[in-house]
Amino acid sequence: MTVRTAEGKSDAALRGRVAFVTNTGTTVSMFGPVSFAARQSFRVPAFPAVQALRCDITLDGYRPQPSQVFIPHANQTLEAPVTAMRSPGDWTPAFRPFGELDPDRFARFIRVAKASDAVSFITQAPPLGSLVTAYDNLAGDQGQFAKMALLNLYAVLSDEDDPVSGTRWFELVRKIVRIDRERFVAEVDPQVFSSVRTILGNLNQFGYKPEPSPELHRHNFPDVASITDLITVKKSFEQGTIQWTVAKTQTAAGATFYLDVDADEHEQIALHTIDLFKHKFNGGTHPIDIHEYLVAHAAKQDAGEINLGYELVRRV
């Protein structure tokens, strides 16, 4: 067994326990605590003494992982690479100050942030005002999770193209108006509405999926009473499942277009296709889970470490 972080790195602090369990729930072998700073080997009973086994790994600071069921054959060595995915309760973000964000990687983000002069949380007052002014002062779970979500979504939308216009999705964002732990809402170029409508009419061509309940997103937008059209699509990337919900509002001043974009892991995307361990998330969205998707995707693409504007450090 070789255990590496989502970044694809070995870590001297990786420690935990390994249990081999039968398909009736009986633990036949238990090991640990063990260090996974290097490759570890475990000897287990073979068929027919046991019919089938699964391997349960519990790592300090990381999500528990069960393997798929396998049949242990005598004198067989099974190589089992494992990706350790951080447990959100054991890690906290360390953000780079706004003024120290890489001017190349974050050029689009900085432009949009400077235009975002009336930002608020979706679920709670008071308004934050200027995003640039508020950015370094976002604190507590609400502020930190919202900032992580904003940076996570920026990473995906600045790397992925709108398949209709050929423009990076984030290039079509004009200003952020609302934030929370899963999404941001922004005023966008009318092209976003046009692109999502075109995608809806050609789902198979573009590889997107419909979302049957755009109305669930209506309350996230400003000027709810002025909304005349509401459309939505989603797509599963290795970085997570992204959903675009676009609202067109119409007032005496003219039409304005807003985008509610969110990331989740409800599609349970496999990070890799090895034989024994296929790590899948289930449950609610947490921005640290999306962080793990992003860095794992970069590692898989041999793209080096992705600059998200923050790092995760262990809670003390």
Side-chain angles (χ1 to χ4, degrees):
M1 187 177 295
T2 304
V3 182
R4 298 191 183 278
T5 64
E7 293 88 345
K9 297 181 177 180
S10 57
D11 184 347
L14 281 169
R15 294 181 60 82
R17 291 175 169 79
V18 178
F20 291 90
V21 184
T22 68
N23 53 6
T24 61
T26 301
T27 299
V28 296
S29 300
M30 173 75 78
F31 302 90
V34 223
S35 169
F36 287 100
R39 181 175 179 270
Q40 289 280 4
S41 296
F42 304 97
R43 186 177 295 276
V44 297
F47 181 87
V50 293
Q51 299 297 307
L53 291 175
R54 76 170 191 272
C55 178
D56 291 343
I57 304 176
T58 305
L59 298 168
D60 299 337
Y62 294 82
R63 287 185 177 275
Q65 289 198 52
S67 77
Q68 299 184 83
V69 173
F70 65 98
I71 299 173
H73 295 289
N75 302 315
Q76 177 193 50
T77 298
L78 180 63
E79 293 291 340
V82 178
T83 302
M85 309 300 288
R86 291 175 177 86
S87 179
D90 294 302
W91 300 81
T92 188
F95 296 98
R96 294 181 181 86
F98 183 83
E100 296 179 14
L101 292 173
D102 182 273
D104 294 324
R105 171 66 176 167
F106 290 91
R108 298 183 185 96
F109 181 81
I110 292 167
R111 170 184 58 79
V112 168
K114 288 180 177 178
S116 303
D117 55 359
V119 180
S120 63
F121 291 115
I122 287 177
T123 57
Q124 182 177 335
L128 299 167
S130 162
L131 181 57
V132 172
T133 302
Y135 185 86
D136 290 335
N137 298 315
L138 290 170
D141 284 350
Q142 184 184 35
Q144 291 198 329
F145 291 170
K147 185 153 63 167
M148 274 192 285
L150 180 58
L151 292 167
N152 290 344
L153 285 163
Y154 172 72
V156 180
L157 298 185
S158 62
D159 290 342
E160 298 292 342
D161 289 339
D162 163 13
V164 177
S165 69
T167 305
R168 295 294 167 94
W169 281 108
F170 201 86
E171 195 66 47
L172 300 170
V173 174
R174 291 179 174 176
K175 60 182 180 180
I176 307 295
V177 295
R178 292 182 173 178
I179 56 176
D180 81 354
R181 63 181 287 160
E182 298 177 8
R183 60 177 29 84
F184 69 73
V185 177
E187 183 180 328
V188 294
D189 189 281
Q191 179 64 48
V192 176
F193 184 84
S194 177
S195 293
V196 170
R197 184 168 53 188
T198 300
I199 291 168
L200 267 174
N202 302 273
L203 292 168
N204 291 337
Q205 175 185 344
F206 294 113
Y208 284 67
K209 299 177 183 178
E211 174 54 52
S213 303
E215 288 297 324
L216 295 175
H217 295 253
R218 182 178 290 268
H219 68 280
N220 295 334
F221 293 101
D223 301 327
V224 170
S226 301
I227 295 175
T228 59
D229 290 284
L230 194 62
I231 55 177
T232 187
V233 293
K234 64 181 178 180
K235 184 172 183 178
S236 295
F237 301 94
E238 286 192 346
Q239 304 99 305
T241 298
I242 308 298
Q243 182 172 348
W244 292 258
T245 303
V246 192
K248 178 182 179 181
T249 64
Q250 188 72 48
T251 65
T256 304
F257 297 87
Y258 293 98
L259 170 66
D260 171 3
V261 59
D262 66 89
D264 66 44
E265 71 283 339
H266 294 169
E267 295 294 313
Q268 296 186 320
I269 307 165
L271 286 173
H272 40 69
T273 56
I274 56 179
D275 290 336
L276 187 56
F277 284 92
K278 292 185 179 180
H279 189 285
K280 298 179 180 182
F281 289 131
N282 49 38
T285 298
H286 196 290
I288 287 180
D289 290 335
I290 302 301
H291 170 280
E292 298 296 85
Y293 273 129
L294 292 169
V295 298
H297 172 70
K300 183 176 178 180
Q301 300 299 315
D302 293 323
E305 291 192 42
I306 184 171
N307 183 350
L308 294 175
Y310 71 96
E311 297 175 350
L312 295 177
V313 295
R314 283 184 181 268
R315 291 187 184 274
V316 293

